[in-house]
Amino acid sequence: MRILVLGHTGYLGAHVTGRLAVLPGVRVLGGGRSAAADVFVDLAFDSVGRLAEKLASAAPDAVVNCAGATGGDPVTLAEVNARGPAVLCAALARARPTARLVHLGSAAEYGPGTDRVFVPESAAACPVTVYGATKLAGTVTVSASGLDAVVLRVGNPVGAGAPASGLPGRVAALLREAGTGPDAVLRLGDLSAYRDFVDVRDVARAVARAVTAPGPLPPVLNVGGGEAVLVRDLVHRLADIAGFRGRVEEQGAGSARSEQVFWQCSDISAAAEVLGWRPAYSLDRSLAALWSAGVHQEGDRPS
């Protein structure tokens, strides 16, 4: 089985590639913009025709799209997160119409949740950020493509290699800068929001299940930790792992998204039923892996 992983050098992509590579009878092809890529792909700029030629030549039995932009200006987010999946679906339909497509979406597509309510895939999507809106556009395109496709709506991934653009990676970077002295201070915004954190290794496991599961699959499956975690609790647990002896100060408001999305937690029962997948790693193990590995400063977009 030949599996093409787009965004194979990114945070999620690297873990997915490593997981797929150990499956028996699988050959993984890396797709991206780096010199190490087996297939040079830039979803923000490739035309449908050109990408179809590349897909026909690579002849994958499955494609996993881990490429995505998490930050930057709205144009970049739209090019990578919205245009990219559209071009990919059109090219696949032309060159490899029977290949399975596993596309990584985001829980940010749901927008604000209701306190203590776990969000199922059938919930209305009401993103409050440009990132969430562009990821939703990609999900809609993939779901309506007519391909053998599934979108995995990923919660907040945490673990080795977490980029500093996300909260866990940013906190780890700040802890390293602060040191472990008793006078050290970690200054952050409001930490009262609740989020669903999932180990990046569990995300990779879910992808492997989705690639190899008999079809057809539901158009969207939630992949999260299945638990709403107080962000303040995550920060203090990571600080303990780091041996931080100073104090944590919350100054002012948190991020704009935290103000608008106080509670978010996904219902992951469908992934358990369809894929036989459940999270295997605790949050403490995820944070320990993050701290041990250091902080990767790049985002998920293939380079």
mmCIF file of all heavy atoms in Angstrom, residues 186-230:
data_model
loop_
_atom_site.group_PDB
_atom_site.id
_atom_site.type_symbol
_atom_site.label_atom_id
_atom_site.label_comp_id
_atom_site.label_asym_id
_atom_site.label_seq_id
_atom_site.Cartn_x
_atom_site.Cartn_y
_atom_site.Cartn_z
ATOM 1 N N LEU A 186 6.229 33.396 35.446
ATOM 2 C CA LEU A 186 5.645 33.029 34.163
ATOM 3 C C LEU A 186 4.379 33.858 33.995
ATOM 4 O O LEU A 186 3.396 33.659 34.715
ATOM 5 C CB LEU A 186 5.319 31.532 34.141
ATOM 6 C CG LEU A 186 4.815 30.951 32.816
ATOM 7 C CD1 LEU A 186 5.891 31.042 31.749
ATOM 8 C CD2 LEU A 186 4.375 29.501 33.002
ATOM 9 N N ARG A 187 4.411 34.825 33.064
ATOM 10 C CA ARG A 187 3.283 35.743 32.884
ATOM 11 C C ARG A 187 2.475 35.337 31.659
ATOM 12 O O ARG A 187 2.984 35.274 30.544
ATOM 13 C CB ARG A 187 3.784 37.176 32.735
ATOM 14 C CG ARG A 187 4.431 37.727 34.002
ATOM 15 C CD ARG A 187 4.834 39.181 33.850
ATOM 16 N NE ARG A 187 5.316 39.735 35.107
ATOM 17 C CZ ARG A 187 6.594 39.672 35.499
ATOM 18 N NH1 ARG A 187 7.505 39.081 34.723
ATOM 19 N NH2 ARG A 187 6.960 40.181 36.662
ATOM 20 N N LEU A 188 1.206 35.064 31.914
ATOM 21 C CA LEU A 188 0.292 34.644 30.857
ATOM 22 C C LEU A 188 -1.021 35.394 31.004
ATOM 23 O O LEU A 188 -1.255 36.057 32.020
ATOM 24 C CB LEU A 188 0.039 33.136 30.951
ATOM 25 C CG LEU A 188 1.267 32.224 30.770
ATOM 26 C CD1 LEU A 188 0.949 30.815 31.251
ATOM 27 C CD2 LEU A 188 1.708 32.201 29.310
ATOM 28 N N GLY A 189 -1.868 35.289 29.993
ATOM 29 C CA GLY A 189 -3.192 35.888 30.086
ATOM 30 C C GLY A 189 -4.125 35.010 30.899
ATOM 31 O O GLY A 189 -3.698 34.073 31.582
ATOM 32 N N ASP A 190 -5.399 35.299 30.830
ATOM 33 C CA ASP A 190 -6.393 34.533 31.574
ATOM 34 C C ASP A 190 -6.371 33.068 31.142
ATOM 35 O O ASP A 190 -6.339 32.753 29.952
ATOM 36 C CB ASP A 190 -7.781 35.128 31.334
ATOM 37 C CG ASP A 190 -8.864 34.356 32.064
ATOM 38 O OD1 ASP A 190 -8.883 34.398 33.302
ATOM 39 O OD2 ASP A 190 -9.670 33.685 31.383
ATOM 40 N N LEU A 191 -6.374 32.162 32.113
ATOM 41 C CA LEU A 191 -6.250 30.730 31.846
ATOM 42 C C LEU A 191 -7.489 29.959 32.276
ATOM 43 O O LEU A 191 -7.415 28.781 32.613
ATOM 44 C CB LEU A 191 -5.019 30.171 32.578
ATOM 45 C CG LEU A 191 -3.666 30.798 32.234
ATOM 46 C CD1 LEU A 191 -2.577 30.250 33.143
ATOM 47 C CD2 LEU A 191 -3.320 30.561 30.768
ATOM 48 N N SER A 192 -8.640 30.606 32.243
ATOM 49 C CA SER A 192 -9.854 29.982 32.783
ATOM 50 C C SER A 192 -10.662 29.204 31.747
ATOM 51 O O SER A 192 -11.705 28.633 32.080
ATOM 52 C CB SER A 192 -10.744 31.049 33.426
ATOM 53 O OG SER A 192 -11.162 32.003 32.454
ATOM 54 N N ALA A 193 -10.197 29.170 30.498
ATOM 55 C CA ALA A 193 -10.929 28.438 29.467
ATOM 56 C C ALA A 193 -10.680 26.934 29.603
ATOM 57 O O ALA A 193 -9.700 26.495 30.213
ATOM 58 C CB ALA A 193 -10.506 28.917 28.078
ATOM 59 N N TYR A 194 -11.584 26.146 29.033
ATOM 60 C CA TYR A 194 -11.458 24.690 29.006
ATOM 61 C C TYR A 194 -11.235 24.232 27.565
ATOM 62 O O TYR A 194 -11.914 24.697 26.644
ATOM 63 C CB TYR A 194 -12.721 24.026 29.550
ATOM 64 C CG TYR A 194 -12.874 24.132 31.051
ATOM 65 C CD1 TYR A 194 -13.358 25.300 31.641
ATOM 66 C CD2 TYR A 194 -12.534 23.066 31.875
ATOM 67 C CE1 TYR A 194 -13.507 25.404 33.020
ATOM 68 C CE2 TYR A 194 -12.675 23.156 33.261
ATOM 69 C CZ TYR A 194 -13.160 24.323 33.818
ATOM 70 O OH TYR A 194 -13.302 24.426 35.186
ATOM 71 N N ARG A 195 -10.275 23.307 27.396
ATOM 72 C CA ARG A 195 -9.957 22.804 26.068
ATOM 73 C C ARG A 195 -9.812 21.285 26.098
ATOM 74 O O ARG A 195 -9.524 20.682 27.133
ATOM 75 C CB ARG A 195 -8.653 23.431 25.541
ATOM 76 C CG ARG A 195 -8.749 24.901 25.204
ATOM 77 C CD ARG A 195 -9.621 25.132 23.978
ATOM 78 N NE ARG A 195 -9.720 26.553 23.662
ATOM 79 C CZ ARG A 195 -10.669 27.361 24.113
ATOM 80 N NH1 ARG A 195 -11.597 26.880 24.942
ATOM 81 N NH2 ARG A 195 -10.710 28.627 23.770
ATOM 82 N N ASP A 196 -9.965 20.698 24.928
ATOM 83 C CA ASP A 196 -9.824 19.256 24.740
ATOM 84 C C ASP A 196 -8.444 18.996 24.139
ATOM 85 O O ASP A 196 -8.208 19.294 22.969
ATOM 86 C CB ASP A 196 -10.931 18.773 23.801
ATOM 87 C CG ASP A 196 -10.958 17.263 23.640
ATOM 88 O OD1 ASP A 196 -9.975 16.599 24.024
ATOM 89 O OD2 ASP A 196 -11.960 16.746 23.125
ATOM 90 N N PHE A 197 -7.532 18.466 24.946
ATOM 91 C CA PHE A 197 -6.170 18.195 24.482
ATOM 92 C C PHE A 197 -6.028 16.716 24.140
ATOM 93 O O PHE A 197 -6.528 15.841 24.852
ATOM 94 C CB PHE A 197 -5.152 18.576 25.568
ATOM 95 C CG PHE A 197 -5.121 20.043 25.867
ATOM 96 C CD1 PHE A 197 -5.847 20.566 26.930
ATOM 97 C CD2 PHE A 197 -4.378 20.912 25.073
ATOM 98 C CE1 PHE A 197 -5.824 21.924 27.208
ATOM 99 C CE2 PHE A 197 -4.357 22.273 25.345
ATOM 100 C CZ PHE A 197 -5.085 22.780 26.407
ATOM 101 N N VAL A 198 -5.324 16.445 23.044
ATOM 102 C CA VAL A 198 -5.126 15.067 22.602
ATOM 103 C C VAL A 198 -3.661 14.869 22.238
ATOM 104 O O VAL A 198 -3.036 15.735 21.617
ATOM 105 C CB VAL A 198 -6.040 14.733 21.397
ATOM 106 C CG1 VAL A 198 -5.802 15.674 20.227
ATOM 107 C CG2 VAL A 198 -5.873 13.295 20.963
ATOM 108 N N ASP A 199 -3.096 13.758 22.650
ATOM 109 C CA ASP A 199 -1.693 13.472 22.368
ATOM 110 C C ASP A 199 -1.484 13.319 20.866
ATOM 111 O O ASP A 199 -2.283 12.683 20.172
ATOM 112 C CB ASP A 199 -1.267 12.184 23.081
ATOM 113 C CG ASP A 199 0.232 11.994 23.080
ATOM 114 O OD1 ASP A 199 0.804 11.672 22.017
ATOM 115 O OD2 ASP A 199 0.849 12.163 24.152
ATOM 116 N N VAL A 200 -0.426 13.909 20.367
ATOM 117 C CA VAL A 200 -0.149 13.860 18.933
ATOM 118 C C VAL A 200 0.057 12.423 18.462
ATOM 119 O O VAL A 200 -0.237 12.082 17.315
ATOM 120 C CB VAL A 200 1.063 14.757 18.597
ATOM 121 C CG1 VAL A 200 2.343 14.204 19.206
ATOM 122 C CG2 VAL A 200 1.211 14.945 17.095
ATOM 123 N N ARG A 201 0.533 11.558 19.348
ATOM 124 C CA ARG A 201 0.683 10.142 18.986
ATOM 125 C C ARG A 201 -0.673 9.470 18.825
ATOM 126 O O ARG A 201 -0.843 8.570 17.983
ATOM 127 C CB ARG A 201 1.533 9.430 20.044
ATOM 128 C CG ARG A 201 2.982 9.883 20.073
ATOM 129 C CD ARG A 201 3.695 9.413 21.333
ATOM 130 N NE ARG A 201 3.195 10.095 22.530
ATOM 131 C CZ ARG A 201 3.732 9.980 23.741
ATOM 132 N NH1 ARG A 201 4.787 9.177 23.907
ATOM 133 N NH2 ARG A 201 3.232 10.638 24.775
ATOM 134 N N ASP A 202 -1.651 9.903 19.609
ATOM 135 C CA ASP A 202 -3.002 9.376 19.439
ATOM 136 C C ASP A 202 -3.620 9.867 18.133
ATOM 137 O O ASP A 202 -4.393 9.145 17.494
ATOM 138 C CB ASP A 202 -3.882 9.780 20.625
ATOM 139 C CG ASP A 202 -3.634 8.912 21.854
ATOM 140 O OD1 ASP A 202 -3.363 7.707 21.675
ATOM 141 O OD2 ASP A 202 -3.706 9.433 22.977
ATOM 142 N N VAL A 203 -3.303 11.090 17.745
ATOM 143 C CA VAL A 203 -3.764 11.592 16.446
ATOM 144 C C VAL A 203 -3.196 10.717 15.329
ATOM 145 O O VAL A 203 -3.917 10.313 14.400
ATOM 146 C CB VAL A 203 -3.350 13.058 16.241
ATOM 147 C CG1 VAL A 203 -3.739 13.532 14.835
ATOM 148 C CG2 VAL A 203 -3.988 13.957 17.293
ATOM 149 N N ALA A 204 -1.915 10.405 15.419
ATOM 150 C CA ALA A 204 -1.282 9.563 14.403
ATOM 151 C C ALA A 204 -1.920 8.180 14.363
ATOM 152 O O ALA A 204 -2.109 7.597 13.285
ATOM 153 C CB ALA A 204 0.216 9.460 14.677
ATOM 154 N N ARG A 205 -2.263 7.638 15.524
ATOM 155 C CA ARG A 205 -2.935 6.340 15.577
ATOM 156 C C ARG A 205 -4.301 6.402 14.897
ATOM 157 O O ARG A 205 -4.706 5.478 14.182
ATOM 158 C CB ARG A 205 -3.112 5.879 17.027
ATOM 159 C CG ARG A 205 -1.839 5.414 17.711
ATOM 160 C CD ARG A 205 -2.095 5.042 19.180
ATOM 161 N NE ARG A 205 -3.228 4.167 19.330
ATOM 162 C CZ ARG A 205 -4.393 4.500 19.933
ATOM 163 N NH1 ARG A 205 -4.534 5.715 20.457
ATOM 164 N NH2 ARG A 205 -5.366 3.642 20.035
ATOM 165 N N ALA A 206 -5.022 7.489 15.121
ATOM 166 C CA ALA A 206 -6.332 7.649 14.500
ATOM 167 C C ALA A 206 -6.207 7.722 12.983
ATOM 168 O O ALA A 206 -7.025 7.155 12.248
ATOM 169 C CB ALA A 206 -7.021 8.907 15.041
ATOM 170 N N VAL A 207 -5.184 8.427 12.511
ATOM 171 C CA VAL A 207 -4.958 8.517 11.070
ATOM 172 C C VAL A 207 -4.689 7.131 10.491
ATOM 173 O O VAL A 207 -5.237 6.755 9.444
ATOM 174 C CB VAL A 207 -3.787 9.463 10.752
ATOM 175 C CG1 VAL A 207 -3.389 9.359 9.276
ATOM 176 C CG2 VAL A 207 -4.156 10.903 11.095
ATOM 177 N N ALA A 208 -3.840 6.365 11.159
ATOM 178 C CA ALA A 208 -3.527 5.018 10.671
ATOM 179 C C ALA A 208 -4.783 4.156 10.616
ATOM 180 O O ALA A 208 -4.982 3.394 9.651
ATOM 181 C CB ALA A 208 -2.474 4.368 11.573
ATOM 182 N N ARG A 209 -5.651 4.283 11.613
ATOM 183 C CA ARG A 209 -6.900 3.524 11.601
ATOM 184 C C ARG A 209 -7.794 3.979 10.440
ATOM 185 O O ARG A 209 -8.426 3.155 9.768
ATOM 186 C CB ARG A 209 -7.647 3.707 12.923
ATOM 187 C CG ARG A 209 -6.941 3.126 14.143
ATOM 188 C CD ARG A 209 -7.055 1.611 14.205
ATOM 189 N NE ARG A 209 -6.412 1.064 15.388
ATOM 190 C CZ ARG A 209 -7.016 0.827 16.539
ATOM 191 N NH1 ARG A 209 -8.304 1.107 16.675
ATOM 192 N NH2 ARG A 209 -6.354 0.316 17.564
ATOM 193 N N ALA A 210 -7.854 5.290 10.216
ATOM 194 C CA ALA A 210 -8.717 5.822 9.160
ATOM 195 C C ALA A 210 -8.214 5.428 7.772
ATOM 196 O O ALA A 210 -9.012 5.182 6.861
ATOM 197 C CB ALA A 210 -8.803 7.347 9.277
ATOM 198 N N VAL A 211 -6.910 5.357 7.598
ATOM 199 C CA VAL A 211 -6.345 4.982 6.303
ATOM 200 C C VAL A 211 -6.666 3.530 5.969
ATOM 201 O O VAL A 211 -6.967 3.190 4.817
ATOM 202 C CB VAL A 211 -4.815 5.207 6.300
ATOM 203 C CG1 VAL A 211 -4.171 4.527 5.091
ATOM 204 C CG2 VAL A 211 -4.497 6.694 6.287
ATOM 205 N N THR A 212 -6.610 2.672 6.961
ATOM 206 C CA THR A 212 -6.710 1.230 6.716
ATOM 207 C C THR A 212 -8.090 0.638 6.991
ATOM 208 O O THR A 212 -8.331 -0.525 6.663
ATOM 209 C CB THR A 212 -5.674 0.482 7.577
ATOM 210 O OG1 THR A 212 -5.889 0.782 8.964
ATOM 211 C CG2 THR A 212 -4.263 0.907 7.202
ATOM 212 N N ALA A 213 -9.001 1.409 7.568
ATOM 213 C CA ALA A 213 -10.323 0.880 7.895
ATOM 214 C C ALA A 213 -11.123 0.611 6.630
ATOM 215 O O ALA A 213 -11.032 1.350 5.644
ATOM 216 C CB ALA A 213 -11.086 1.864 8.778
ATOM 217 N N PRO A 214 -11.926 -0.452 6.623
ATOM 218 C CA PRO A 214 -12.800 -0.687 5.467
ATOM 219 C C PRO A 214 -13.823 0.436 5.350
ATOM 220 O O PRO A 214 -14.307 0.956 6.357
ATOM 221 C CB PRO A 214 -13.456 -2.034 5.786
ATOM 222 C CG PRO A 214 -13.367 -2.163 7.275
ATOM 223 C CD PRO A 214 -12.093 -1.480 7.670
ATOM 224 N N GLY A 215 -14.131 0.806 4.144
ATOM 225 C CA GLY A 215 -15.050 1.923 3.928
ATOM 226 C C GLY A 215 -16.447 1.450 3.628
ATOM 227 O O GLY A 215 -16.709 0.252 3.565
ATOM 228 N N PRO A 216 -17.341 2.421 3.415
ATOM 229 C CA PRO A 216 -17.076 3.861 3.530
ATOM 230 C C PRO A 216 -17.090 4.324 4.987
ATOM 231 O O PRO A 216 -17.680 3.682 5.846
ATOM 232 C CB PRO A 216 -18.234 4.482 2.754
ATOM 233 C CG PRO A 216 -19.354 3.495 2.927
ATOM 234 C CD PRO A 216 -18.708 2.134 2.933
ATOM 235 N N LEU A 217 -16.422 5.456 5.232
ATOM 236 C CA LEU A 217 -16.365 6.035 6.560
ATOM 237 C C LEU A 217 -17.289 7.249 6.627
ATOM 238 O O LEU A 217 -17.620 7.845 5.599
ATOM 239 C CB LEU A 217 -14.933 6.461 6.887
ATOM 240 C CG LEU A 217 -13.893 5.341 6.993
ATOM 241 C CD1 LEU A 217 -12.506 5.932 7.186
ATOM 242 C CD2 LEU A 217 -14.235 4.392 8.134
ATOM 243 N N PRO A 218 -17.685 7.672 7.844
ATOM 244 C CA PRO A 218 -18.450 8.917 7.975
ATOM 245 C C PRO A 218 -17.628 10.088 7.433
ATOM 246 O O PRO A 218 -16.399 10.041 7.425
ATOM 247 C CB PRO A 218 -18.661 9.041 9.482
ATOM 248 C CG PRO A 218 -18.482 7.660 10.021
ATOM 249 C CD PRO A 218 -17.453 7.017 9.144
ATOM 250 N N PRO A 219 -18.279 11.141 6.995
ATOM 251 C CA PRO A 219 -17.531 12.267 6.440
ATOM 252 C C PRO A 219 -16.640 12.977 7.446
ATOM 253 O O PRO A 219 -15.583 13.503 7.087
ATOM 254 C CB PRO A 219 -18.624 13.211 5.913
ATOM 255 C CG PRO A 219 -19.864 12.802 6.642
ATOM 256 C CD PRO A 219 -19.737 11.334 6.896
ATOM 257 N N VAL A 220 -17.035 12.987 8.723
ATOM 258 C CA VAL A 220 -16.267 13.679 9.768
ATOM 259 C C VAL A 220 -16.237 12.816 11.022
ATOM 260 O O VAL A 220 -17.258 12.238 11.420
ATOM 261 C CB VAL A 220 -16.881 15.057 10.115
ATOM 262 C CG1 VAL A 220 -16.095 15.729 11.230
ATOM 263 C CG2 VAL A 220 -16.932 15.957 8.890
ATOM 264 N N LEU A 221 -15.059 12.727 11.644
ATOM 265 C CA LEU A 221 -14.910 12.041 12.917
ATOM 266 C C LEU A 221 -14.085 12.913 13.854
ATOM 267 O O LEU A 221 -13.035 13.438 13.459
ATOM 268 C CB LEU A 221 -14.210 10.691 12.739
ATOM 269 C CG LEU A 221 -15.007 9.575 12.069
ATOM 270 C CD1 LEU A 221 -14.095 8.390 11.768
ATOM 271 C CD2 LEU A 221 -16.173 9.143 12.950
ATOM 272 N N ASN A 222 -14.565 13.076 15.083
ATOM 273 C CA ASN A 222 -13.811 13.839 16.080
ATOM 274 C C ASN A 222 -12.659 12.995 16.622
ATOM 275 O O ASN A 222 -12.825 11.815 16.935
ATOM 276 C CB ASN A 222 -14.709 14.237 17.251
ATOM 277 C CG ASN A 222 -15.709 15.302 16.885
ATOM 278 O OD1 ASN A 222 -15.493 16.090 15.977
ATOM 279 N ND2 ASN A 222 -16.834 15.334 17.594
ATOM 280 N N VAL A 223 -11.500 13.634 16.762
ATOM 281 C CA VAL A 223 -10.334 12.992 17.367
ATOM 282 C C VAL A 223 -9.827 13.928 18.461
ATOM 283 O O VAL A 223 -9.189 14.946 18.176
ATOM 284 C CB VAL A 223 -9.233 12.723 16.327
ATOM 285 C CG1 VAL A 223 -7.964 12.216 17.008
ATOM 286 C CG2 VAL A 223 -9.717 11.705 15.297
ATOM 287 N N GLY A 224 -10.161 13.614 19.696
ATOM 288 C CA GLY A 224 -9.761 14.458 20.816
ATOM 289 C C GLY A 224 -9.429 13.618 22.029
ATOM 290 O O GLY A 224 -9.437 12.388 21.982
ATOM 291 N N GLY A 225 -9.143 14.295 23.116
ATOM 292 C CA GLY A 225 -8.844 13.593 24.353
ATOM 293 C C GLY A 225 -10.091 13.126 25.075
ATOM 294 O O GLY A 225 -10.027 12.294 25.977
ATOM 295 N N GLY A 226 -11.241 13.699 24.708
ATOM 296 C CA GLY A 226 -12.493 13.317 25.342
ATOM 297 C C GLY A 226 -12.672 13.876 26.736
ATOM 298 O O GLY A 226 -13.539 13.432 27.486
ATOM 299 N N GLU A 227 -11.880 14.879 27.089
ATOM 300 C CA GLU A 227 -11.953 15.479 28.425
ATOM 301 C C GLU A 227 -11.714 16.977 28.312
ATOM 302 O O GLU A 227 -10.799 17.419 27.610
ATOM 303 C CB GLU A 227 -10.894 14.865 29.334
ATOM 304 C CG GLU A 227 -10.827 15.468 30.725
ATOM 305 C CD GLU A 227 -9.662 14.940 31.546
ATOM 306 O OE1 GLU A 227 -8.832 14.184 30.992
ATOM 307 O OE2 GLU A 227 -9.573 15.294 32.732
ATOM 308 N N ALA A 228 -12.540 17.753 28.976
ATOM 309 C CA ALA A 228 -12.351 19.202 29.015
ATOM 310 C C ALA A 228 -11.364 19.532 30.128
ATOM 311 O O ALA A 228 -11.621 19.248 31.298
ATOM 312 C CB ALA A 228 -13.675 19.914 29.248
ATOM 313 N N VAL A 229 -10.241 20.116 29.761
ATOM 314 C CA VAL A 229 -9.169 20.407 30.716
ATOM 315 C C VAL A 229 -9.087 21.911 30.936
ATOM 316 O O VAL A 229 -9.036 22.692 29.972
ATOM 317 C CB VAL A 229 -7.816 19.883 30.203
ATOM 318 C CG1 VAL A 229 -6.688 20.274 31.138
ATOM 319 C CG2 VAL A 229 -7.868 18.372 30.019
ATOM 320 N N LEU A 230 -9.073 22.325 32.183
ATOM 321 C CA LEU A 230 -8.870 23.729 32.507
ATOM 322 C C LEU A 230 -7.462 24.113 32.070
ATOM 323 O O LEU A 230 -6.478 23.478 32.471
ATOM 324 C CB LEU A 230 -9.051 23.954 34.011
ATOM 325 C CG LEU A 230 -8.855 25.368 34.538
ATOM 326 C CD1 LEU A 230 -9.899 26.320 33.967
ATOM 327 C CD2 LEU A 230 -8.895 25.369 36.056
#
